[in-house]
Amino acid sequence: MADPVAIIGGTGNIGFGLAMRWSRVGVPVIIGSRDAGRAREAAQRTGAQEGRENADAAREAPIVVLTVPFRSQSETLTNLKGALREGQILVDCTVPLAAAVSGRATRTLGVWQGSAAQQAAEMAPDGVRVVAALHTVGAPTLADLDAPLDEDVLICGDRKADKREVAALIARIEGLRPVDAGRLEQARIVESITALLIGVNARYKTHSGIRLTGLPADPWPE
């Protein structure tokens, strides 16, 4: 059996949609939540393997996907310090939207470390490698299994091997093309694209994503 993927914050919009999409194609998913009961309920609804309290979910998977809102990122990572271990990959999907402090979702907050992903890297235990991804994929589209996806996912990280592993997981979802967007520090740019897309989608009343042109047929050659 393939290794499971833990989705921390899997009862929220993005995490719920990812759990549905990955479970649909046979990826074993463990949904994590602050409330184990809610996690189990979400697992039943999404077809995930099981639902657990966040720390228990994080202990079981080599790849842990953090899908909590920015306002909860710091607290969640603090609570996961005893569960995350050396060698795991932490995929941070957090976007520091101004909505976290009652501002507009079309604006981002300044983060001292440079980006939410860099803040996650600073807070994660030693040996846990952080990769930033999945910021620009809309929750409504993810959660609608009848909605076709046709967009790129920009992946940032400091190790090519880690990005490749995350890319392979993302590519399991039909219609998502993972693209190497450079080192983790580039996450500050990628995260801000989310705020831009929120504004575009509000004006056009749609759920658009992003697509890069001119890339090779195989963005991840051996």
Side-chain angles (χ1 to χ4, degrees):
M1 184 176 179
D3 289 327
V5 174
I7 302 178
I8 305 303
T11 58
N13 293 336
I14 293 291
F16 193 88
L18 288 171
M20 292 180 69
R21 294 279 181 169
W22 276 325
S23 298
R24 186 187 199 187
V25 295
V27 176
V29 173
I30 301 173
I31 287 183
S33 173
R34 289 178 296 180
D35 184 323
R38 289 188 63 204
R40 288 190 292 269
E41 179 185 350
Q44 291 178 341
R45 293 174 58 198
T46 61
Q49 179 176 290
E50 58 183 309
R52 299 184 179 186
E53 188 272 332
N54 279 331
D56 287 340
R59 288 189 184 97
E60 297 298 317
I63 297 181
V64 178
V65 183
L66 185 65
T67 64
V68 299
F70 179 68
R71 64 179 178 273
S72 302
Q73 186 205 43
S74 179
E75 179 185 1
T76 301
L77 287 173
T78 298
N79 293 336
L80 290 179
K81 281 191 174 179
L84 295 172
R85 64 184 186 278
E86 183 177 359
Q88 283 179 306
I89 295 175
L90 176 65
V91 182
D92 186 75
C93 309
T94 313
V95 178
L97 296 175
V101 292
S102 300
R104 295 183 180 180
T106 52
R107 297 177 181 173
T108 54
L109 298 171
V111 181
W112 177 259
Q113 293 82 354
S115 66
Q118 289 169 291
Q119 177 171 278
E122 185 176 278
M123 296 190 66
D126 291 343
V128 175
R129 285 120 48 191
V130 174
V131 173
L134 294 161
H135 304 92
T136 58
V137 183
T141 310
L142 272 178
D144 181 0
L145 295 181
D146 294 325
L149 297 171
D150 182 24
E151 56 191 277
D152 290 338
V153 175
L154 304 180
I155 301 176
C156 303
D158 292 335
R159 286 170 47 108
K160 183 81 171 183
D162 295 340
K163 289 187 285 186
R164 184 181 294 276
E165 195 168 344
V166 173
L169 176 63
I170 291 171
R172 294 289 301 273
I173 300 177
E174 184 177 359
L176 295 185
R177 181 178 65 168
V179 175
D180 188 346
R183 297 183 63 84
L184 193 65
E185 66 184 11
Q186 297 299 326
R188 70 185 70 187
I189 299 172
V190 178
E191 291 170 8
S192 67
I193 295 175
T194 300
L196 183 148
L197 283 175
I198 289 172
V200 169
N201 289 334
R203 284 188 289 276
Y204 287 95
K205 296 180 173 54
T206 187
H207 300 294
S208 65
I210 63 169
R211 190 74 171 173
L212 303 182
T213 62
L215 292 180
D218 181 7
W220 299 88
E222 294 295 336

